Amino acid sequence: TQSHGGIDPTMQVPIQPQALEELKTLTASFIPPTGEPLSASFLDEKALLRFLKARDFNVKDAYKMWCKWVVWRMEYKADEITETEVKKEIETGKAYWFKHDKQGRPCLIVRPARHHPSQRDVRETMRFAIYLLEEGIKRAEECGVEQVVVLFDRKGVTMKNFDRSLFAMMKELSGMLQAYYAERLACFYVLHVNWIYWTLYKIVSPFLNKRTKEKIKILKHPSDLTHYFDIECLEEEHSGRTTEPLHTSNSYVGENDSSEAMVAPTVSS
């Protein structure tokens, strides 16, 4: 495998009790613009630790990041996006949760070849991305972990799968992930890399911080995934043994999907 950075993103960061207590004090006195009382989830110790880790335990920077997160969640109402609202996106099979890695972290499989810009609304796609993140966090916490992993399978991707609006969305989404989902992403595995990927990476990379870049791992072959996943947790095309159909609620692909939508494109790029 190849990584964009030399630091293991799964490395545990020592907790600094004093920094945590300082952040607790600051957040306890925060009054959001809406005037609403903060829910317990905003003041959860694990949440505060994620912001501290994301800002290398600089309390001032972590607090600024936390404040923006609170205001965004209250205004955007990310946790209120329903499955019905993003049903069309779900049915494409372009992204779905599928089992977990060796550390028990839920895995989001993304298949950009199933994204067709002319048939999709950018804002709807963005809402779908947030819906997936929210669902992934729920899955992670139910399993006793805090992070998720992403398998970005580019098989069959061509320039037909992209347009200018998508570039803007990717920038916005990468910024949103870093700003409002602090330390939720453990690793981002990429399969089938070619010149299109590197072109996109050059566009998006200036908006990625060092910590995020270090989480990106380029895999030369699907079999490399077995270093990070048990074969029972991988689909057959990813060198696994799982043959479960993707059109199940567990994978977030609608029951009424057409067979055409469910078959991974075979056009090489």
Side-chain angles (χ1 to χ4, degrees):
T1 61
Q2 175 186 347
S3 173
H4 287 302
I7 300 177
D8 181 1
T10 63
M11 180 176 61
Q12 295 295 316
V13 179
I15 296 175
Q16 298 182 21
Q18 183 177 346
L20 179 58
E21 290 305 314
E22 288 180 20
L23 185 57
K24 282 183 178 180
T25 300
L26 289 172
T27 56
S29 60
F30 177 78
I31 300 176
T34 60
E36 301 175 50
L38 293 178
S39 66
S41 61
F42 287 124
L43 302 172
D44 179 69
E45 186 173 292
K46 290 183 178 179
L48 299 182
L49 275 172
R50 285 195 298 273
F51 285 100
L52 284 169
K53 290 179 181 179
R55 290 296 178 262
D56 296 320
F57 283 86
N58 182 305
V59 177
K60 183 178 180 180
D61 290 346
Y63 178 62
K64 287 181 180 179
M65 187 181 190
W66 177 87
C67 289
K68 291 180 180 178
W69 171 66
V70 171
V71 173
W72 177 78
R73 289 199 68 83
M74 286 187 162
E75 293 180 348
Y76 198 87
K77 300 186 183 303
D79 56 345
E80 295 182 15
I81 301 175
T82 65
E83 183 176 340
T84 301
E85 182 181 342
V86 294
K87 185 175 184 294
K88 290 182 180 179
E89 291 292 299
I90 292 174
E91 291 176 346
T92 64
K94 69 172 70 172
Y96 51 91
W97 291 100
F98 192 80
K99 298 190 179 287
H100 53 79
D101 69 0
K102 289 183 177 181
Q103 295 187 45
R105 299 174 298 203
C107 178
L108 176 66
I109 297 180
V110 180
R111 297 178 181 272
R114 295 178 182 174
H115 175 77
H116 304 289
S118 62
Q119 302 172 22
R120 297 291 164 230
D121 175 75
V122 173
R123 300 317 304 173
E124 185 178 354
T125 300
M126 179 65 77
R127 296 282 288 179
F128 177 51
I130 299 301
Y131 169 80
L132 286 170
L133 287 169
E134 293 293 314
E135 194 60 44
I137 290 172
K138 290 178 185 176
R139 285 175 167 237
E141 293 180 343
E142 287 173 359
C143 296
V145 295
E146 293 187 59
Q147 294 182 304
V148 301
V149 297
V150 175
L151 171 52
F152 193 66
D153 186 348
R154 300 186 62 266
K155 182 179 180 181
V157 171
T158 70
M159 288 306 294
K160 292 181 180 179
N161 299 113
F162 300 92
D163 63 5
R164 290 184 179 180
S165 62
L166 185 62
F167 293 150
M169 186 194 75
M170 290 175 67
K171 291 180 182 178
E172 184 177 348
L173 185 58
S174 61
M176 191 177 293
L177 179 64
Q178 294 174 109
Y180 307 131
Y181 292 91
E183 292 302 301
R184 287 297 193 178
L185 177 66
C187 283
F188 189 93
Y189 302 104
V190 187
L191 281 174
H192 306 295
V193 168
N194 63 3
W195 67 270
I196 297 178
Y197 168 81
W198 290 115
T199 299
L200 292 174
Y201 182 75
K202 287 180 181 179
I203 294 173
V204 177
S205 61
F207 303 92
L208 302 178
N209 59 38
K210 180 181 178 183
R211 188 184 294 273
T212 300
K213 289 179 180 177
E214 289 167 351
K215 297 177 180 181
I216 301 173
K217 291 185 180 294
I218 307 300
L219 305 182
K220 295 181 180 179
H221 190 275
S223 61
D224 291 336
L225 286 166
T226 58
H227 294 297
Y228 312 101
F229 296 81
D230 291 326
I231 56 177
E232 291 79 12
C233 291
L234 291 171
E235 297 178 82
E236 283 189 328
E237 66 178 291
H238 295 147
S239 300
R241 290 181 178 174
T242 301
T243 56
E244 291 182 10
L246 300 184
H247 51 286
T248 64
S249 58
N250 188 51
S251 294
Y252 296 100
V253 179
E255 293 181 358
N256 298 320
D257 292 342
S258 66
S259 58
E260 180 180 356
M262 297 311 303
V263 177
T266 55
V267 181
S268 60
S269 57

